[in-house]
Amino acid sequence: MKRHGRAKILRMLALYSKTGTKKGFETAFKREFGYPVKELEGRVFKRP
Amino acid sequence: MPEKVKTDLGFADLQCRKSDVGRISRIAKAAYSFNRRFFGKEIKKPFHIIICYSRKEFDDIWGAETDAWLTGFATKTGTIVSFRDDLIRKYNPRKEATLAGTLRHEINHIFYFQIYGSYEPAWLLEGLTLQPPFEPFTLMENDKKRLKGPLPHLIYSTNGKTFFKQAPFLYSMAFLATRH
């Protein structure tokens, strides 16, 4: 997340707040950062 | 035990002992300004800051017995509860913990809730405040051991009943995910 920067994270949160649902968060995350949140988990925790 | 007084800070009311009002007001104002700059906006709804002087008082507000490491929290109704500095140093296993860091952290949650209408996802909510310059956070040996075992996914929701089971993973995973 750090490399995305504060502005991008806040923009993603603003997008997420329109629905406030988990699905909405996943959609907002992918739209703003270009990859699914699951991929972030994989990158950070090195899961298969 | 000295009585507490209520002080209007403009953005919040502060309840603490009279002898602490000046010092804690300055810390709270700085923490509020810090978050206003972080989010780039003001929040409209005033909130409450309660400083506790005993674990019993803290637990009474939480509504149950809390784990010993917990030294501050924010509720959905807009109340921040924290110990005074000396008790934060006594209870918090992280040596770098301070009242200033705790208030920056908890006020961030209040901004987050008022702007985005949610305390979710919990990992991002917590993770945002575990990065400098909010409060210096480092993984402790226990965290590192835990992270070698089977991990749950990034935690989306917490509540009062599950919080203490989730917390050992929540903070370390949130820290790593937002640092990435």
Side-chain angles (χ1 to χ4, degrees), chain B residues 44 68 85 161:
Chain B
K44 300 273 187 279
D85 321 52
K161 287 180 185 165

Side-chain angles (χ1 to χ4, degrees), chain B residues 120-168:
Chain B
E120 292 165 341
W123 69 266
L124 184 54
L125 170 80
E126 296 298 344
L128 283 180
T129 65
L130 298 178
Q131 307 304 326
F134 271 95
E135 57 176 327
F137 183 90
T138 48
L139 291 178
M140 297 171 66
E141 282 311 308
N142 280 350
D143 298 322
K144 289 178 188 167
K145 277 184 200 161
R146 231 178 264 122
L147 290 169
K148 285 179 184 165
L151 297 172
H153 291 286
L154 287 171
I155 294 166
Y156 185 81
S157 298
T158 59
N159 62 51
K161 287 180 185 165
T162 57
F163 181 74
F164 289 109
K165 281 187 183 166
Q166 294 172 314

Side-chain angles (χ1 to χ4, degrees), chain A residues 1-2 6 16 22 41 47, chain B residues 38 152-154 156 180:
Chain A
M1 300 296 292
K2 195 176 176 183
R6 180 177 57 99
Y16 155 65
K22 189 173 182 182
E41 287 187 347
R47 290 183 195 162
Chain B
F38 180 84
H153 291 286
L154 287 171
Y156 185 81
H180 183 68

